[in-house]
Amino acid sequence: MRLFKRTTPPGTAPGTLPVVVRPTPSRMRLVRFDRRQVEERTLEEVAGLTERDLAPVDEDEDRREVQWLDLVGHDVGLIAEIGRRLQLHPLALEDVVNTGQRPKTDDFGNSLFVVLDLFAVGTGEDALEREQVSLVLQEGLVLSVRERESGVFDLVLDRLRNDASRLRTLPADYLTYALIDAVVDHLFPVLEQIGERIEDAEQGIMEEPDPGDLNALHLLRRDLLLLRKSTWPLREVMARLQRSDSTLIHDETRLYLRDVSDHVALCLDIIETYREMVASLTELYLSAVSNRLNEVMKVLTIIATIFIPLSFVAGLYGMNFDPKAGPWNMPELHWAFGYPFALLLMATIAGGLLLFFRRKGWV
Amino acid sequence: MRLFKRTTPPGTAPGTLPVVVRPTPSRMRLVRFDRRQVEERTLEEVAGLTERDLAPVDEDEDRREVQWLDLVGHDVGLIAEIGRRLQLHPLALEDVVNTGQRPKTDDFGNSLFVVLDLFAVGTGEDALEREQVSLVLQEGLVLSVRERESGVFDLVLDRLRNDASRLRTLPADYLTYALIDAVVDHLFPVLEQIGERIEDAEQGIMEEPDPGDLNALHLLRRDLLLLRKSTWPLREVMARLQRSDSTLIHDETRLYLRDVSDHVALCLDIIETYREMVASLTELYLSAVSNRLNEVMKVLTIIATIFIPLSFVAGLYGMNFDPKAGPWNMPELHWAFGYPFALLLMATIAGGLLLFFRRKGWV
Amino acid sequence: MRLFKRTTPPGTAPGTLPVVVRPTPSRMRLVRFDRRQVEERTLEEVAGLTERDLAPVDEDEDRREVQWLDLVGHDVGLIAEIGRRLQLHPLALEDVVNTGQRPKTDDFGNSLFVVLDLFAVGTGEDALEREQVSLVLQEGLVLSVRERESGVFDLVLDRLRNDASRLRTLPADYLTYALIDAVVDHLFPVLEQIGERIEDAEQGIMEEPDPGDLNALHLLRRDLLLLRKSTWPLREVMARLQRSDSTLIHDETRLYLRDVSDHVALCLDIIETYREMVASLTELYLSAVSNRLNEVMKVLTIIATIFIPLSFVAGLYGMNFDPKAGPWNMPELHWAFGYPFALLLMATIAGGLLLFFRRKGWV
Amino acid sequence: MRLFKRTTPPGTAPGTLPVVVRPTPSRMRLVRFDRRQVEERTLEEVAGLTERDLAPVDEDEDRREVQWLDLVGHDVGLIAEIGRRLQLHPLALEDVVNTGQRPKTDDFGNSLFVVLDLFAVGTGEDALEREQVSLVLQEGLVLSVRERESGVFDLVLDRLRNDASRLRTLPADYLTYALIDAVVDHLFPVLEQIGERIEDAEQGIMEEPDPGDLNALHLLRRDLLLLRKSTWPLREVMARLQRSDSTLIHDETRLYLRDVSDHVALCLDIIETYREMVASLTELYLSAVSNRLNEVMKVLTIIATIFIPLSFVAGLYGMNFDPKAGPWNMPELHWAFGYPFALLLMATIAGGLLLFFRRKGWV
Amino acid sequence: MRLFKRTTPPGTAPGTLPVVVRPTPSRMRLVRFDRRQVEERTLEEVAGLTERDLAPVDEDEDRREVQWLDLVGHDVGLIAEIGRRLQLHPLALEDVVNTGQRPKTDDFGNSLFVVLDLFAVGTGEDALEREQVSLVLQEGLVLSVRERESGVFDLVLDRLRNDASRLRTLPADYLTYALIDAVVDHLFPVLEQIGERIEDAEQGIMEEPDPGDLNALHLLRRDLLLLRKSTWPLREVMARLQRSDSTLIHDETRLYLRDVSDHVALCLDIIETYREMVASLTELYLSAVSNRLNEVMKVLTIIATIFIPLSFVAGLYGMNFDPKAGPWNMPELHWAFGYPFALLLMATIAGGLLLFFRRKGWV
């Protein structure tokens, strides 16, 4: 996973949208709902939007209509056109298009802008998948822009279709909360999978450490770094939304936003705890490997140290000094019990060394 | 011990209670008390609660009645029913059921909600046991929900049964303080046991390090991580309760809450100190193991280095060059003192090497 | 890259400009623009500035003129002369000349002073290049001083030449923002290149670690340290500019400054993440190298441990004890199957050791 | 030194005093003083206190009397009795008895309560000794409770006996300051001794590292951890006392309390610096030990690597192939200069290897 | 360099000056100056001060006289006498005499007290030299006390002698700023020298690591620790002086104090960066040393592993089994091509092993 990717050169004007060579195919879904009914339309072009769509709705407590435009894919032209209709600030528009932003929230008066990172367990090689989710809250309208089609908002949509849902009776900020909550809650399955990987690694290392464990720990560390990088600023985003003095956020919603804050804090705690566990496991692994080396070395030491002197004795009596040249030339060779004497000498040496090692506690 | 476990998929509505396949059997105990009397009832079903139970009590300084409903086990239906009777906020209800929450406190106006983690020394394998304790404080009423039957509140109950106890004369917030205090004070025996494990590990490592010590240190580190993860947010919970502007908390109780805060701070200090001690012990262990390897290596070096040249000399005079082929072919073999000369040569080499090693400070 | 370099001795008066032996050739470019027209002049001497140049302009919403003096090189005399004409505070002047300042901003009432670090990917040996960019904002005037000619402001100049640009309609603080933005955005290509170096190092270490990787990681660490040293204070600079109560900064510009703040925060996040990745890679490298050593050691152990006893047996039967001296002197040598027996003995020993090693899991 | 020890089970009522099986013998000293006279009495029982003792004194600028009751030892009954007479809050009383508290200060309106840790250099094994010192400040009265008889307050008493001392003329809060100052200043000799131990360890490691150094470093680390654990909260205690809005603390005394704060900050700086020095020394030690191993290994490598090929050559010419069986069977053995040739071969091999090692820079 | 040294026992009264056995010879220099003239006098005794000296001067904008008393050395009696004349607070006096204070500033109403650490590159062994500089600012008077004669204030004195200097026209707080600035700026040459030592160490380690590098890194770490210990509180000192509401500090001076603050922040950044560089270099060194050991080990492995089996074969055919005892006793010895066969066998084994090693990538 790349950390970030800029598509405009430094120094370009703020709000400049990059020219994307191959725009990803986009899909729009407009959901209009109030207390009594829900209307869903899937569009492929901006032309499909009527005059009434995305227009400010007359606020009427009894019949408060909310529109939710959910945009998937990154067709820059399409986004620019929608931005123009919603009178989005160029800086907000730029951040929607240039994915890889830091999670953040901005208050542009008529609209509240939120950038989030959505994580998912990747399909191949245990990696993480990250995409940027941008939300724009206006009076009676929520715009959500995602990079890829994923099921992140499916349950929210199901709840919208349910006539008894609170979502249907509350203003647009509650829908925004629901979307943020869905994105944040997607951290939990990711963390659960990482937790399982850590437990697998722990079990593996405690039973039989092998070099693959270390690569696994390194990848865990990397994934946790990326999660932390996205989750840490989220804390500030949630705090700002709660404290926001924007009229777009009602007091009742703040209570729910605080609940999301608690989830974010929990995620951060888990991420930090995981990071320390991975660090502890890395140490455990390195030390387990070092222990194994010690054991191997010890066996070598003992076998070699015992046989080296024995081989020397054998070599000694393999020398060819001529006994006839003088009485001092290897008289042992001609003793009647020379060979048993040599064997006894060797056994004594071996026994003595074994005793020495046992005393040292090495055997 | 698993770090956390979600039972609802991301994106579900807040307040959604998970469908638990096998609800744990529950037990309720309702304690009604005032200055003059205590009444205890153990119930198994909500139906056992009368109209009067859990109802708001008329505040009357002289005869101030407090009700304490202590619920053990996680029967979701039962909790939902009680939540309905007490008009609990759906977010609070959700947090009671979804255990594994971060310790926190929320003020829902008519009720103050506190989530705590209760730790106990596990029965097997030195592990920790954790359970979530949720407290709800309302006017004249305290609800406590626990996961398992444990003796954590037994002493508080004993104090309630004692007519002279302060608990009997003070409003519900003082009982809440007493319950929080009991949960926090349960950290101390856990920390004491961990302290003993650290001391055992220290003694073991200083005397005779073995690989089991490292696993023990890793488990200590893990336990301390989990304790810290639960205790750190507790600090904020206590600070919030003290500063809370809720009318449910009286000034006199704040003084007692500050005392609990001090205990939490003491626990955190001890946890951090323990963590650093474990880190220091890990280094000590690794270095002790490395020292042992050094010693083994040194012995190998010395024995091998002395005998390798000796064996070479022995091999030299074991060569079969034909002395008859020329006067330069191994004349030593036919010297009268060839063998003593060879032995002397070997002794000289060995002595020289020993001297060299002694000078280097290796022997 | 040197960390810093002072040119005046400690204790000299503030505002003292160092005497530079070889002043670098300077180049000035004065750009005057308003809504309708742009006028560019390149000067080589202060004498080229007319009375009208750098003079306070009469504020007139419709015809608001902004002057931008872009100075490249460090001719101290020239800078002092310009400082005199703009009535710069001696402390500001000192900081412009003494490059190697910490990024900072000062409010001198009539002028706002900003010091930034501009980074670029160096041409040789992957190193970073750093230069100080100083900006002075006055009513209707922006002064920028750079150390070297680089293209950092080229795109801003292009935008100025474009009649439709917002830059042309807004006051001098917006131009200042655009220059700061250009400098900050130059961090991204630098970070992208560092990201690629990290990925190269990661791939190299995972496939085939070699000592060059470690030097590469050390240089990465050093570069990230220098980047962090410059970027961290930048955060404070941006916060101060946003909160500044100077009348030189208009409210609309603050929104844009916040956008730059977000970029700075993103850069810091990336730098921190990179730093931890480099730390993790360093550990991975060290451990990979240690693994390789283990493998080598194991092979040595096994081969040596098998052959040492075999060699001993061979040495044993190479001894020259005289069989005629007694029946106990090496009778095996005269057995009919003595040699096959010896070979069998060796095979048994080798097989036994191999079995032992396999049981230990070493083979 | 144990980190902490609870004597009451979790869940007991606040203010419950533990039943101590063997109460330590206690000693009380009551010092009454004003501008003109000092009266000292040593008591063994509460009964020795008259009605006038510990009673509130009528405030009279000219003849302001202060009483100081200094209690040594932990007779729980005695402390409870004194607490009753001074109307101490049960929480304060509990903290006096349950030693091992975190340093803290509480304001109970009529009394100000301070808990401190007093450190001393232990007599055996270089360890630290810690005891809790509790101070209670009331109008005209100071109560100090210590665990053991130590000379910590001797100099303060000496100053009290001196008619010219400021202590005699100022109210009770100044005496409290003097006692706190005495306790804090006792950190300095402890830090000086630790500094000496660090310097000893540094010298030892730089000259001749041995495994004992590591244990010494571990104990230093442990001692510094315990000191930090007690000194860190002290910072907060001092800040609270300075900012306290209690009428018991006069403005003039705050200046002196700030001076103590500075001492505490200096101690913390020294502790942190020491901790980093110990960490650096640990690394230095480990690396020095590793260097020694390297040197040993290198000698082994060189000696073994030179002699192994030589031994092979010797073994080669020790083979018994029958030269009569064919002309290719070891003709060298029958060369006139076979032996010198073999010696030359060996010398060439040894020289070649030495040259190779020298080129590698290993010799 | 010792970290700190107390000269009074704990518990002594504040303001007690230690009895110094050998007072260092002192030197005083009194500089009186106003816009028009400067008068310098060097004194050796307090008696040399007239009534007019150190007396409060009548404030008169046009003829504002400032007195600067610069005291070098630590003659306690002299300092006490001057303290009495200037009515210094005993706590300030104590801090002047007890050097080794933490940098700090205190506001005693009539005087502002500042303690700083002055660093210099030591003459021997690359060490740092530290001395305490104490400054007292009163209306129209500055007292500076230093431990040793050093040139730190020489340039300030030169500026004072210059009639055109700003120092001559501004009140005493500007002189105080100039003295603080001189002390802080002395950090830069120290940091430059440390930077050079780091670069030397880096070059040494990258080219040819040797154990001396590690000691050098340890000393660098120690020096940086001491610098940080003194510079960190300096930040707070500067912030307090800037925010000080003392009438002794005029608004214009605050701007200059902020400039010093920036220098302190720059120093801290450099110190932190250096510390991380030293840490990175330590790792680089350790790993370079470990790489060297690996290379040595690999050569040993390869040479030993090739020759051990060869030696075994040679030993095999050196056995003395009697071929006459049976046809199975070493028939190879009597083959016509037995010796070439044995050599071929050895070459095959050596070649096979080399191939194996090459495949493993070890050669």
Side-chain angles (χ1 to χ4, degrees), chain B residues 286-299:
Chain B
L286 290 177
S287 146
V289 162
S290 159
N291 273 336
R292 304 201 107 218
L293 180 61
N294 286 1
E295 209 184 338
V296 173
M297 288 301 298
K298 218 154 72 179
V299 169

Side-chain angles (χ1 to χ4, degrees), chain A residues 108-129:
Chain A
F108 293 104
N110 71 328
S111 56
L112 211 64
F113 178 59
V114 181
V115 173
L116 301 170
D117 277 343
L118 172 66
F119 282 92
V121 176
T123 46
E125 299 190 6
D126 275 359
L128 289 178
E129 273 173 18

Side-chain angles (χ1 to χ4, degrees), chain A residues 30-330:
Chain A
L30 181 67
V31 185
R32 302 177 75 103
F33 63 90
D34 57 20
R35 205 168 281 226
R36 277 165 293 186
Q37 61 187 42
V38 183
E39 178 199 324
E40 280 181 54
R41 274 152 57 202
T42 301
L43 309 165
E44 302 232 332
E45 293 193 350
V46 180
L49 294 170
T50 65
E51 279 294 299
R52 235 185 91 237
D53 293 338
L54 309 187
V57 263
D58 26 306
E59 183 68 35
D60 165 11
E61 178 66 28
D62 193 48
R63 178 138 173 43
R64 181 163 47 191
E65 199 191 56
V66 176
Q67 304 186 49
W68 172 25
L69 183 64
D70 181 41
L71 187 62
V72 175
H74 263 79
D75 184 338
V76 174
L78 186 63
I79 292 172
E81 177 66 19
I82 289 169
R84 200 187 49 75
R85 285 191 64 159
L86 297 178
Q87 298 177 325
L88 287 189
H89 194 281
L91 286 174
L93 213 58
E94 186 185 353
D95 287 343
V96 170
V97 174
N98 281 311
T99 57
Q101 293 301 317
R102 200 177 184 241
K104 64 175 186 175
T105 181
D106 275 320
D107 183 354
F108 293 104
N110 71 328
S111 56
L112 211 64
F113 178 59
V114 181
V115 173
L116 301 170
D117 277 343
L118 172 66
F119 282 92
V121 176
T123 46
E125 299 190 6
D126 275 359
L128 289 178
E129 273 173 18
R130 183 179 59 174
E131 67 172 302
Q132 178 175 317
V133 174
S134 314
L135 301 174
V136 176
L137 165 64
Q138 288 184 333
E139 193 60 53
L141 185 137
V142 177
L143 168 67
S144 59
V145 184
R146 297 184 274 155
E147 293 187 53
R148 279 186 295 275
E149 185 62 76
S150 63
V152 56
F153 292 150
D154 288 359
L155 274 170
V156 177
L157 193 60
D158 285 351
R159 281 154 62 194
L160 270 184
R161 289 169 186 151
N162 177 357
D163 286 357
S165 165
R166 289 170 63 83
L167 269 174
R168 290 277 287 281
T169 63
L170 292 169
D173 57 339
Y174 188 79
L175 174 59
T176 309
Y177 146 73
L179 298 179
I180 293 174
D181 188 48
V183 169
V184 169
D185 275 12
H186 268 82
L187 281 171
F188 288 106
V190 169
L191 287 175
E192 251 181 294
Q193 189 244 13
I194 287 179
E196 281 161 21
R197 283 160 63 194
I198 289 175
E199 277 172 19
D200 288 356
E202 187 175 42
Q203 208 179 344
I205 287 168
M206 284 205 166
E207 282 170 8
E208 178 83 24
D210 75 292
D213 292 329
L214 205 72
N215 279 5
L217 289 173
H218 173 68
L219 292 176
L220 273 167
R221 228 160 134 170
R222 193 184 157 145
D223 286 353
L224 287 167
L225 269 176
L226 293 173
L227 277 174
R228 193 178 61 148
K229 180 168 159 288
S230 290
T231 312
W232 199 254
L234 205 54
R235 191 178 217 173
E236 200 187 317
V237 168
M238 296 315 301
R240 274 204 203 174
L241 283 176
Q242 272 179 75
R243 288 191 319 257
S244 167
D245 51 3
S246 168
T247 56
L248 289 165
I249 297 194
H250 301 83
D251 276 351
E252 200 185 359
T253 307
R254 286 182 215 278
L255 204 65
Y256 289 93
L257 289 173
R258 201 174 61 197
D259 192 61
V260 180
S261 280
D262 287 341
H263 291 182
V264 170
L266 179 57
C267 285
L268 277 175
D269 281 0
I270 293 171
I271 288 170
E272 285 309 312
T273 306
Y274 279 174
R275 276 165 51 84
E276 299 224 25
M277 278 184 180
V278 168
S280 177
L281 282 176
T282 306
E283 258 185 40
L284 191 67
Y285 167 81
L286 290 177
S287 146
V289 162
S290 159
N291 273 335
R292 304 202 107 217
L293 180 60
N294 286 1
E295 210 185 337
V296 172
M297 288 302 297
K298 218 155 71 180
V299 169
L300 169 63
T301 307
I302 288 163
I303 294 183
T305 310
I306 287 172
F307 276 101
I308 282 175
L310 303 194
S311 287
F312 165 68
V313 173
L316 200 69
Y317 292 116
M319 294 196 298
N320 295 324
F321 285 96
D322 189 358
K324 294 165 200 149
W328 297 108
N329 269 2
M330 312 192 77

Side-chain angles (χ1 to χ4, degrees), chain B residues 19 40 52 102 196 231 255 305 313:
Chain B
V19 180
E40 280 182 54
R52 234 185 93 237
R102 199 175 184 244
E196 281 162 19
T231 313
L255 204 66
T305 310
V313 172

Side-chain angles (χ1 to χ4, degrees), chain E residues 70-144:
Chain E
D70 182 41
L71 187 62
V72 175
H74 263 78
D75 182 338
V76 174
L78 186 62
I79 293 171
E81 176 67 18
I82 289 169
R84 199 187 50 75
R85 285 190 65 158
L86 297 179
Q87 297 178 326
L88 286 189
H89 195 281
L91 287 173
L93 213 58
E94 186 185 353
D95 288 343
V96 170
V97 174
N98 280 311
T99 58
Q101 293 300 316
R102 197 175 185 243
K104 64 175 186 177
T105 179
D106 274 321
D107 182 354
F108 293 102
N110 71 328
S111 57
L112 210 65
F113 178 59
V114 181
V115 173
L116 301 170
D117 277 344
L118 171 67
F119 282 92
V121 176
T123 46
E125 297 191 9
D126 275 359
L128 290 179
E129 273 172 18
R130 184 179 58 174
E131 67 172 302
Q132 177 175 316
V133 174
S134 313
L135 302 175
V136 176
L137 165 64
Q138 288 185 332
E139 193 60 52
L141 185 138
V142 177
L143 167 67
S144 59

Side-chain angles (χ1 to χ4, degrees), chain B residues 155 159 192 202 258 262 269 273-274 276 280 283 287 294 297 305 308 320 322 325 328-330 332, chain D residues 3 5 11 102 104 106 214 218 222 228 282 289 297 303 317-320 333-335 337 339:
Chain B
L155 274 171
R159 282 154 61 195
E192 250 182 294
E202 187 174 41
R258 201 174 62 198
D262 287 341
D269 282 0
T273 306
Y274 279 174
E276 299 225 26
S280 177
E283 257 184 41
S287 146
N294 286 1
M297 288 301 298
T305 310
I308 282 176
N320 296 323
D322 189 359
W328 297 107
N329 272 1
M330 312 192 75
E332 304 93 323
Chain D
L3 266 176
K5 185 82 201 127
R102 197 176 185 244
K104 64 176 186 177
D106 275 321
L214 205 72
H218 173 68
R222 195 185 157 144
R228 192 178 62 149
T282 306
V289 162
M297 289 301 298
I303 294 183
Y317 292 116
M319 294 197 298
N320 296 324
L333 295 182
H334 301 285
W335 291 352
F337 295 95
Y339 182 53

